[in-house]
């Protein structure tokens, strides 16, 4: 198969598919950076390839899109009304994968923090305070 994408375009494409470097993720990174935390991104050697990892605090942060990860009770995570035979298993698999990744991270010594897209959009400074509180206890 011929691959016409430049490496650069390909990685942009992959980022879009995998939901990496999304606006809420960038916002969380910016706030952590502003608070002086050191972190690493997308550690592939960890279950679920967490979006942000704070090695010194032993915390893995996932910034989840509400729809893709089916944020419970969230207005931004509607149950698909059409093509349900396509969407429902797909979304259920995402949720199951998230739970599995979190279950695997904990015995490896990682705390897991999930930040939802809607929380960042609604009140980023509340998210920043919350993260600071969570990280201060480590
Ligand atoms: Zn949400």
């Amino acid at each position: 198969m011929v691959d016409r994408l430049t490496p650069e375009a390909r990685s942009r494409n992959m980022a879009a598919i995998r939901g990496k470097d999304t606006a809420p993720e960038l916002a969380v990174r910016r706030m952590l950076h502003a608070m002086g935390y050191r972190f690493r991104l997308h550690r592939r050697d960890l279950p679920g390839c967490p979006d942000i990892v704070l090695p010194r605090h032993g915390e893995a942060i996932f910034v989840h899109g509400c729809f893709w990860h089916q944020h419970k009770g969230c207005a931004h995570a509607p149950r698909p009304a059409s093509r349900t035979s396509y969407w429902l298993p797909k979304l259920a698999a995402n949720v199951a994968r998230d739970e599995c990744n979190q279950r695997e991270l904990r015995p490896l010594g990682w705390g897991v923090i999930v930040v939802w897209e809607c929380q960042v959009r609604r009140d980023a400074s509340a998210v920043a305070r919350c993260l600071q509180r969570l990280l201060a206890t480590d």
Side-chain angles (χ1 to χ4, degrees):
M1 193 163 92
V2 181
D3 185 356
R4 303 184 72 100
L5 295 176
T6 63
E8 205 183 332
R10 185 162 45 231
S11 77
R12 262 205 311 277
N13 200 25
M14 287 297 290
I17 291 165
R18 306 198 47 205
K20 270 191 196 175
D21 302 326
T22 59
E25 192 184 324
L26 293 173
V28 172
R29 280 193 224 164
R30 266 197 307 274
M31 62 180 78
L32 288 170
H33 184 76
M35 292 187 287
Y37 290 108
R38 301 294 188 113
F39 51 86
R40 294 189 49 196
L41 303 175
H42 310 126
R43 280 263 308 258
R44 286 172 198 281
D45 56 320
L46 293 178
C49 185
D51 297 316
I52 301 166
V53 168
L54 292 103
R56 203 176 299 166
H57 295 79
E59 295 286 347
I61 302 179
F62 291 92
V63 183
H64 277 347
C66 296
F67 176 72
W68 289 104
H69 298 272
Q70 288 290 285
H71 188 193
K72 276 203 187 77
C74 175
H76 302 283
R79 303 285 281 176
S82 62
R83 297 187 67 206
T84 51
S85 62
Y86 170 76
W87 282 113
L88 294 182
K90 195 177 177 69
L91 294 172
N94 286 350
V95 173
R97 196 179 311 117
D98 291 338
E99 285 167 2
C100 178
N101 290 333
Q102 294 175 15
R103 263 203 312 277
E104 285 178 18
L105 278 164
R106 292 201 175 96
L108 295 172
W110 293 94
V112 177
I113 297 172
V114 174
V115 177
W116 292 97
E117 178 187 5
C118 64
Q119 299 171 324
V120 178
R121 290 190 195 286
R122 198 184 313 122
D123 191 349
S125 59
V127 171
R129 282 194 301 278
C130 181
L131 286 173
Q132 200 159 29
R133 214 168 29 244
L134 287 170
L135 295 170
T137 57
D138 288 321

